[in-house]
Amino acid sequence: MRIIGLTGSIGMGKSAAARYLRFLGIPVYDSDATVHSVYARGGAAVGPVGALWPIAVRDGAVDREALDTLINADNSVLPQLEKTVHPIVHMAQQRFLLSNALRRQPVIALDIPLLFETGGENRCDAVFVVSAPAFIQRARVLARSRMTPEKFDFILARQTPDDVKRERADVVVPSHQGWLTMLNILRDAVGTVLTRPARHWPPDPATFTRRASCREMPSRFS
């Protein structure tokens, strides 16, 4: 099974690219959606986050605004949060990979905003970077509710610069030239990936324990 890493900085159009990949029949793992689910009431991250920062949990769910306030006030919070939450999110990603392998999917995509920042490109057969000019990116992001220039700058400071991402990409997908251009580029890129052998699946047993992951799978896969 080939693994595509889909990434791009905030406001670059990565979500649109993920939709087009799904339209092409490619299963897409959404890391942002996973984070939302583990922060929601009953989510796996609520307990660990609440143990560290009780003020960040409200009504049984992680209060992301309260968490943002903590992060902005104390530089030590974000590294500790990532150390706590990333293993939980990673397990969900592994379940996604295993379930699609059991379905014999030839290619899947991992939609991960901080792919390069976390070294995730090393687990992918190809990396697609979605990009657009900086002025378009800024206009898109500042049009969002509750977004401010200061928050936008804070987010950008945590992300690898767009020009560096484009240099490291296997495929650059422009999101400002119309949906048909994006769709055609993605279709051609997926076709190229399918001509290459898979390099990361099946995984190295040292980094992925099949038995442990199977215990985490929903009953329909057991």
Side-chain angles (χ1 to χ4, degrees):
M1 184 173 70
R2 291 83 167 170
I3 301 172
I4 294 169
L6 177 68
T7 193
S9 298
I10 182 172
M12 287 301 196
K14 180 174 56 61
S15 296
R19 289 196 299 271
Y20 295 144
L21 285 174
R22 291 189 180 97
F23 174 78
L24 294 171
I26 311 301
V28 179
Y29 168 81
D30 186 335
S31 61
D32 280 345
T34 299
V35 172
H36 280 284
S37 69
V38 302
Y39 280 174
R41 182 190 294 271
V46 175
V49 170
L52 291 169
W53 306 285
I55 196 174
V57 173
R58 182 179 300 173
D59 297 328
V62 175
D63 184 332
R64 300 190 70 153
E65 289 190 10
L67 201 55
D68 285 345
T69 300
L70 289 169
I71 291 170
N72 291 331
D74 185 346
N75 291 334
S76 69
V77 171
L78 184 59
Q80 194 169 6
L81 177 67
E82 291 176 339
K83 183 178 179 180
T84 302
V85 175
H86 280 183
I88 298 171
V89 174
H90 183 67
M91 181 59 74
Q93 182 188 121
Q94 298 293 64
R95 292 197 297 269
F96 171 86
L97 289 167
L98 181 56
S99 67
N100 280 286
L102 292 174
R103 295 188 183 101
R104 300 185 181 277
Q105 290 286 349
V107 58
I108 59 89
L110 303 177
D111 176 350
I112 303 177
L114 299 179
L115 184 76
F116 288 120
E117 293 82 351
T118 58
E121 76 277 13
N122 296 319
R123 301 191 301 273
C124 299
D125 295 291
V127 174
F128 296 179
V129 169
V130 187
S131 183
F135 75 93
I136 293 179
Q137 175 195 28
R138 188 173 188 85
R140 287 172 176 170
V141 176
L142 293 182
R144 299 179 182 180
S145 62
R146 298 183 180 179
M147 181 59 66
T148 65
E150 293 75 20
K151 186 175 181 179
F152 176 47
D153 291 339
F154 175 79
I155 293 171
L156 277 186
R158 292 184 55 225
Q159 298 184 336
T160 299
D162 179 59
D163 59 339
V164 175
K165 288 180 180 176
R166 286 187 276 108
E167 289 176 2
R168 298 175 65 181
D170 295 288
V171 178
V172 175
V173 183
S175 66
H176 60 292
Q177 297 177 6
W179 69 269
L180 187 58
T181 297
M182 284 188 73
L183 182 61
N184 287 335
I185 289 173
L186 287 167
R187 180 187 289 113
D188 291 345
V190 169
T192 299
V193 170
L194 286 170
T195 67
R196 302 172 181 171
R199 295 181 292 118
H200 299 283
W201 194 277
D204 183 344
T207 60
F208 185 100
T209 304
R210 180 184 175 93
R211 181 178 300 173
S213 297
C214 284
R215 287 198 297 267
E216 297 290 334
M217 292 297 293
S219 60
R220 65 181 180 274
F221 294 121
S222 60

